[in-house]
Amino acid sequence: MKKASLETIAEKMKDLDFCMMITQDENGKPQSRPMSNNGRVEYDGDSWFFTYEDSNKVRQIENDNKVNLVYQTDDLLFIECYGTAAIVKDKETLEEKWVDGLEQWFPEGTDTPGICLLKISARRVTFWHKEEEGQYTA
């Protein structure tokens, strides 16, 4: 597999929004769910997702913080990010990452009780795009 730079990965991810986030349940079995980074992808090795701290994914991450993110486009671009997750609750970061439209899920904005962010720090990112493939390792 060809080595890829973080800049190459960032360019490929700039227009991506939805992915499947895969965590491990209490029995070590993978659990997947769709997640959105709200269309704000300025990828620097970290992915950010708003959620509620009482969700299953947060409990699973507290138990095992290894996470996979899988993206796919209609243009045959596939990206898999493997990394570790952290639960972020500080108000400054919540406000920095907030975008209009999130009120649909978090009606009181960053003051919504139980709101938090998941920060996924990539350890490895692999992409496949038609005849091209590459891998970035942090």
Side-chain angles (χ1 to χ4, degrees):
M1 173 105 14
K2 180 180 157 189
K3 210 172 210 185
S5 68
L6 185 56
E7 292 76 23
T8 298
I9 298 296
E11 178 64 25
K12 298 231 177 253
M13 291 183 73
K14 72 179 180 178
D15 296 322
L16 297 179
D17 186 357
F18 291 96
C19 70
M20 293 299 289
M21 176 185 286
I22 304 156
T23 56
Q24 306 302 312
D25 72 11
E26 63 280 353
N27 297 314
K29 294 185 175 151
Q31 298 291 302
S32 305
R33 81 277 297 151
M35 297 292 289
S36 170
N37 60 24
N38 310 308
R40 281 184 63 178
V41 179
E42 294 175 21
Y43 193 69
D44 63 0
D46 294 328
S47 299
W48 296 87
F49 303 94
F50 280 91
T51 192
Y52 284 97
E53 58 188 338
D54 65 352
S55 66
N56 283 336
K57 63 187 150 300
V58 169
R59 282 192 293 279
Q60 291 168 354
I61 286 167
E62 288 172 336
N63 187 51
D64 182 345
N65 72 342
K66 291 182 284 307
V67 173
N68 279 63
L69 305 175
V70 179
Y71 296 85
Q72 176 187 345
T73 70
D74 291 340
D75 187 37
L76 298 177
L77 170 63
F78 300 87
I79 296 179
E80 187 258 348
C81 301
Y82 168 77
T84 55
I87 300 155
V88 178
K89 299 177 187 176
D90 75 88
K91 182 82 166 172
E92 185 177 321
T93 305
L94 289 168
E95 289 176 354
E96 175 189 324
K97 300 296 181 187
W98 185 264
V99 295
D100 289 337
L102 286 173
E103 304 84 19
Q104 179 179 353
W105 294 280
F106 307 99
E108 296 174 45
T110 58
D111 292 322
T112 301
I115 192 174
C116 66
L117 277 164
L118 298 178
K119 176 184 179 184
I120 314 302
S121 298
R123 301 292 175 246
R124 181 188 70 237
V125 182
T126 307
F127 75 88
W128 301 265
H129 191 207
K130 300 178 182 175
E131 301 298 318
E132 182 185 15
E133 62 181 44
Q135 186 172 78
Y136 165 78
T137 305

